[in-house]
Amino acid sequence: MNRRSFIRFSALTVVAAIAAYFLLKFDRVVRRMITVDTDGLKLNGEAIDRFMADAKKEFFWDRFSFSKKMFICVQHFLSSLGIKVAYHHKYVQNRSVITGQFLLSTDFFLNKMDTSQPVTYIGFFNQYKTGCSNPFSSIRFTA
Amino acid sequence: MHYNLILAGTGFASSFFLKKYLEKSSKDIRVLVLERGEFIPHQQRLQDARSKPLGKVSYVSGGNGGNTFKNNTPEKSWIFDPSFGGSSNCWTGCTPRFMPNDFEMKSKYNVGEDWPVTYQDIESYYCDVEDIMSTSGPDITPYPMSKKYPQPAHELSTVDKVLQRAYGDQYISQPTARSSISNKRNKCCTSAICHLCPVEAKFTIENGLKSVVYSDPRVEIIYQAQVIQVDTKNNIATGVLYRHANQDKKATADVIALGANAIFNAHILLNSGDTNVHTGRNLSEQVGYYGYFDLKDFQNVGGSSIITANGFMLYDGAFRSERAACIIESHNDVFIRHEAGKWRNIAKFKFVFEDIPQADNRVERSADPLIPVVTYKAHSDYVVKGYDYLKNNIGKIFGSLPIENIYLDDKYQPSEAHILGTARMSNDAATGVVDKDLRHHQYRNLLVLGGSAFPTITPSNPTITLAALSLRAADKLI
C-alpha cells in the first residue's frame, strides 16, 4: 500500500466509523428528541418504548435514508451545542415529522392538545388503517 | 376484427373521450380498448396497503411506472400508475381550471406558444367535466364560470381565512374532485392520503366512469395489452400493433385514439414512423417548491381537505413576460411543529410554477419497442426567475399572517406527477403534432389525447383541462 492509498483508506475508515457511530446513535437521538419535545406533557412512561418498538415493526425508519439519518444525528449533535449550521431548518422539519408521528400515536391530539390530561400511547399512527384521523381538520376544529 | 374505434389507455383522457364518443354514436358501433395494465380494484389496493407495514406502502399502488421506461436523467422522476384508470388512482383530485390567458401566452406575454383553442372554446366542456367528477368549489373564482361547481366549497383553515381577507377572490377554497358533501361519493374527511383515499371521497375512473363507459356492450376491453405502434398507409391510420400475453397482435379500426401519458403517446407515434419534428420533444411539467411558515400564537386548523386553498395572487399579470407564474396550494396534512405548545402554529404551502417547454427534454425510442427513453435536461430560466421573485418577496406576500419564520425550500420537488408536452397542439404541422381537435396533422383519423397535447405548461393542475379537451375532441369527431 503506497502513501496515497494509505491516506485514502484511513480517511474512508474514519468516515465509516463516524457514520457507524451516528447511525448506532440514531435510535438514541430519536428518543432524546421526543423526550425533549414532550417535556411538560404527562407522558406514560412506556409510551416512547412502545413507539420505538412499533416504529421498527412498521419499518418506519425506512422512510429515512442513510444520509438523512446521518444528517439528523449530526445536526442534533451540533444543535445540542447551540450551533446552527446550514439546513438547520431541514433538521427541524425532520424532527417535527418524528415527534409528530409519536404524538399522533398517542391520544394527545384527540384530547385537543390538553396538557393537563395524561398522554397515553394508543397505537402507531397509520392513516391507511384509520381514515379521517387528521386531528387538525374541520371535524375537530372550526376555523 | 375491425372496429370503429381503437382506444389506447383507460386514464382520464381516454375515459372522458370514450364517454362522449359513446353518447354520440349509434348502437351498432364497436370499440376496442387496449389497457396496458390490470384492473386493480380500489378496495384491493387499500387492503394491500393495510396489510403492509407503514414504511412499505408505496405511493403508486398499481405498479411502478419507473420500470416501464428508461430514464436517462433519474434525478427527475415521472410518476404514473400503469393500470386501469391510470393516474386517477393516485391523483390528489385538484381541479382548478386554467386562466384564460394561459391559452394565449404568446399573444399576451410573448413567451411560449398560443394554444389553438381558447378558454371560451372549452368553457362548456369544463362544466361537463365538473359535473361528471362532481367537483366542489367556491361560487367566486379568478376565472370566469358559466355554471357553479356541483358541490359546495371545502372549509378553509384559519390560515386560509386570513389570506382570503387579504386577497379576496385571488385566494379561494381549492376546486377539487374530493367531495365536500356525501353525494355520489363519500365526504372527504381530510385523511390526507389521497393517492389511496380510505373513504372513497375522490373521483376515480373506477368509481366515476367504469360502470358507465366500460360496461357498455359496444366496448370490448383487453387488459395487459400494450400498444406498440399505429399502422398507417397513405397518411391514414389503419390499426394498431399491440403486445398481449407475450404475443404481438393486430387490430384495425376507422379511428385510432391514443390516450396514454405523454411519454407513451409520443413513443407510440415514434414507433409508428411519425416524422413530425415536434413528436417526443418538449416533455415538461410544473416545478414545485414547499415553504414552511412558523406562526406566532396562531393555530392552523379547521380545513376540510388535504389542500384547503389555492392562491392566485402570483398567477397572472404582465410579469409573465419576464418570469413564471405560480399557483399556491395551502396544505393541510398532519404536519406539526415540534416545539411544545406550538404544535400546530405552522403553515405549509406549495408553490407550483409554470414552465416554458424545452425541446431538448424529450422521449426517444430504444432498441426495445415497449420501452421509451426519457431525457430531461432542465427546466427553463423562466422558472428560476419566478422562484427568485417569490424568494425575495415571500414575507411581503404573506404579510397578513403572524409569521415567526419562513423556510422556503431551495430544492424543487422531483416530480409534480404530471407528464406533459411531446405531441403539442398547433394550427399547423410546422409548429406542432395535433390540431385543436387533437387530430394528428398528418394522420387525420388518429387522435392523440391527454397532456401530451399541451403546448405550454400552466401553473394549474392539468387534469380537468385535459379531460375537457377529450370531451371536446369526441364532440368534434362525430
Side-chain angles (χ1 to χ4, degrees):
Chain A
M1 188 180 285
N2 62 29
R3 189 165 177 270
R4 183 173 292 177
S5 299
F6 177 76
I7 291 169
R8 194 175 292 161
F9 177 77
S10 304
L12 281 173
T13 306
V14 171
V15 169
I18 292 170
Y21 172 74
F22 278 118
L23 273 186
L24 286 172
K25 238 186 135 179
F26 183 69
D27 266 21
R28 270 187 288 165
V29 166
V30 168
R31 281 174 182 275
R32 181 73 190 144
M33 287 191 306
I34 295 171
T35 304
V36 170
D37 291 346
T38 57
D39 187 34
L41 302 184
K42 292 178 179 169
L43 207 60
N44 180 302
E46 289 180 344
I48 297 177
D49 289 340
R50 289 181 63 193
F51 172 77
M52 293 303 288
D54 282 352
K56 196 174 173 189
K57 259 192 277 179
E58 294 285 343
F59 294 88
F60 184 68
W61 307 122
D62 282 15
R63 293 184 171 185
F64 294 72
S65 63
F66 173 83
S67 54
K68 192 185 270 191
K69 285 178 180 169
M70 283 286 292
F71 170 80
I72 290 168
C73 289
V74 172
Q75 286 272 2
H76 180 77
F77 173 69
L78 294 172
S79 184
S80 63
L81 299 175
I83 302 167
K84 285 185 184 176
V85 293
Y87 294 102
H88 177 77
H89 69 281
K90 281 284 156 199
Y91 158 72
V92 169
Q93 281 168 18
N94 281 299
R95 181 168 177 162
S96 292
V97 168
I98 292 167
T99 300
Q101 179 67 25
F102 169 73
L103 285 174
L104 287 159
S105 303
T106 70
D107 59 1
F108 177 62
F109 292 118
L110 294 176
N111 293 330
K112 291 211 166 188
M113 300 176 262
D114 182 351
T115 51
S116 68
Q117 292 197 44
V119 177
T120 305
Y121 185 81
I122 54 175
F124 204 74
F125 182 68
N126 183 334
Q127 290 146 290
Y128 297 98
K129 289 180 180 165
T130 316
C132 312
S133 52
N134 185 332
F136 312 112
S137 77
S138 57
I139 294 173
R140 296 189 176 86
F141 286 93
T142 306
Chain B
M1 179 69 75
H2 187 79
Y3 297 87
N4 297 85
L5 168 70
I6 293 175
L7 182 59
T10 58
F12 288 110
S14 301
S15 300
F16 279 83
F17 176 84
L18 186 54
K19 182 175 190 304
K20 179 65 81 178
Y21 181 90
L22 293 171
E23 280 169 11
K24 293 194 72 178
S25 296
S26 62
K27 287 183 178 169
D28 57 353
I29 59 135
R30 294 177 55 82
V31 176
L32 175 64
V33 177
L34 299 168
E35 165 51 54
R36 66 172 295 154
E38 300 175 278
F39 170 49
I40 307 167
H42 177 78
Q43 280 307 317
Q44 186 180 322
R45 292 170 191 266
L46 203 51
Q47 203 61 40
D48 182 55
R50 285 172 174 161
S51 67
K52 285 178 178 166
L54 184 61
K56 298 291 182 190
V57 178
S58 62
Y59 178 78
V60 179
S61 54
N64 181 1
N67 293 333
T68 60
F69 65 98
K70 180 174 182 288
N71 193 346
N72 273 346
T73 42
E75 63 278 11
K76 173 66 186 165
S77 54
W78 302 94
I79 295 172
F80 56 95
D81 188 331
S83 64
F84 176 84
S87 295
S88 77
N89 296 301
C90 60
W91 79 316
T92 303
C94 308
T95 59
R97 294 183 181 188
F98 288 4
M99 298 284 271
N101 286 346
D102 289 338
F103 297 87
E104 300 174 75
M105 290 296 287
K106 186 74 176 174
S107 305
K108 299 280 183 185
Y109 305 119
N110 200 29
V111 294
E113 303 290 336
D114 284 348
W115 292 45
V117 291
T118 66
Y119 182 89
Q120 275 311 316
D121 289 336
I122 65 167
E123 204 280 334
S124 66
Y125 299 102
Y126 270 138
C127 296
D128 292 346
V129 175
E130 285 155 358
D131 271 344
I132 294 165
M133 289 187 178
S134 194
T135 53
S136 67
D139 289 346
I140 297 173
T141 55
Y143 38 76
M145 294 181 72
S146 61
K147 202 174 167 185
K148 286 184 176 181
Y149 283 110
Q151 295 192 19
H154 270 286
E155 295 290 327
L156 295 172
S157 69
T158 45
V159 161
D160 297 326
K161 289 191 171 177
V162 171
L163 290 168
Q164 193 174 60
R165 276 198 291 278
Y167 287 104
D169 64 3
Q170 297 296 298
Y171 194 92
I172 60 171
S173 174
Q174 183 181 60
T176 173
R178 304 182 298 272
S179 287
S180 62
I181 53 172
S182 293
N183 189 352
K184 293 178 180 175
R185 303 179 299 272
N186 293 316
K187 183 181 173 182
C188 170
C189 58
T190 329
S191 299
I193 43 167
C194 301
H195 64 275
L196 195 51
C197 178
V199 297
E200 281 253 36
K202 176 189 79 169
F203 174 88
T204 64
I205 299 302
E206 182 188 348
N207 67 27
L209 286 177
K210 185 171 185 289
S211 62
V212 180
V213 172
Y214 295 100
S215 301
D216 189 298
R218 294 171 289 181
V219 176
E220 176 187 344
I221 182 165
I222 304 176
Y223 292 102
Q224 296 183 298
Q226 183 178 351
V227 173
I228 297 170
Q229 70 177 54
V230 177
D231 293 328
T232 62
K233 190 176 179 185
N234 299 327
N235 289 333
I236 293 170
T238 56
V240 298
L241 172 70
Y242 65 98
R243 188 163 296 174
H244 178 243
N246 293 321
Q247 284 191 321
D248 286 351
K249 297 180 179 179
K250 288 202 171 205
T252 60
D254 300 330
V255 175
I256 316 289
L258 304 180
N261 67 37
I263 293 173
F264 287 93
N265 272 353
H267 190 238
I268 293 166
L269 291 175
L270 292 169
N271 280 344
S272 311
D274 182 8
T275 54
N276 187 300
V277 293
H278 301 285
T279 301
R281 292 193 177 269
N282 299 301
L283 177 67
S284 307
E285 70 165 336
Q286 299 90 341
V287 182
Y289 295 83
Y290 279 108
Y292 299 83
F293 295 57
D294 290 345
L295 303 173
K296 188 171 171 53
D297 302 325
F298 190 92
Q299 276 200 110
N300 178 14
V301 293
S304 68
S305 200
I306 183 175
I307 297 169
T308 45
N310 278 139
F312 287 79
M313 50 276 202
L314 298 175
Y315 197 121
D316 199 27
F319 70 85
R320 288 176 93 177
S321 61
E322 301 291 333
R323 57 179 162 83
C326 96
I327 193 169
I328 301 168
E329 295 178 342
S330 174
H331 282 241
N332 187 36
D333 44 296
V334 288
F335 55 85
I336 70 148
R337 190 170 162 182
H338 74 86
E339 296 159 81
K342 300 178 180 179
W343 307 112
R344 190 62 176 187
N345 293 1
I346 183 170
K348 177 181 168 187
F349 294 97
K350 193 178 197 187
F351 302 92
V352 183
F353 289 89
E354 66 182 329
D355 195 9
I356 299 170
Q358 308 291 296
D360 285 348
N361 299 331
R362 63 189 298 194
V363 176
E364 295 171 284
R365 299 174 71 198
S366 70
D368 185 338
L370 298 175
I371 304 290
V373 179
V374 171
T375 304
Y376 186 89
K377 292 186 177 166
H379 54 250
S380 67
D381 283 347
Y382 190 59
V383 176
V384 177
K385 288 175 187 164
Y387 172 78
D388 287 346
Y389 177 83
L390 172 69
K391 193 174 175 182
N392 294 331
N393 293 279
I394 195 164
K396 202 164 66 184
I397 294 163
F398 289 89
S400 53
L401 289 173
I403 294 170
E404 276 184 43
N405 296 298
I406 300 175
Y407 305 106
L408 178 65
D409 280 356
D410 54 9
K411 198 175 167 193
Y412 56 89
Q413 292 298 301
S415 172
E416 290 303 307
H418 305 142
I419 311 173
L420 308 167
T422 76
R424 53 170 43 182
M425 298 168 96
S426 66
N427 286 317
D428 55 60
T431 53
V433 179
V434 297
D435 70 8
K436 62 182 178 180
D437 301 330
L438 305 182
R439 294 166 76 154
H440 196 286
H441 283 302
Q442 184 178 351
Y443 313 106
R444 301 297 292 158
N445 64 332
L446 171 63
L447 290 91
V448 187
L449 313 171
S452 57
F454 285 17
T456 54
I457 309 307
T458 64
S460 276
N461 310 63
T463 302
I464 196 161
T465 300
L466 70 86
L469 288 171
S470 275
L471 288 182
R472 184 178 182 279
D475 206 17
K476 298 293 177 188
L477 180 69
I478 301 174

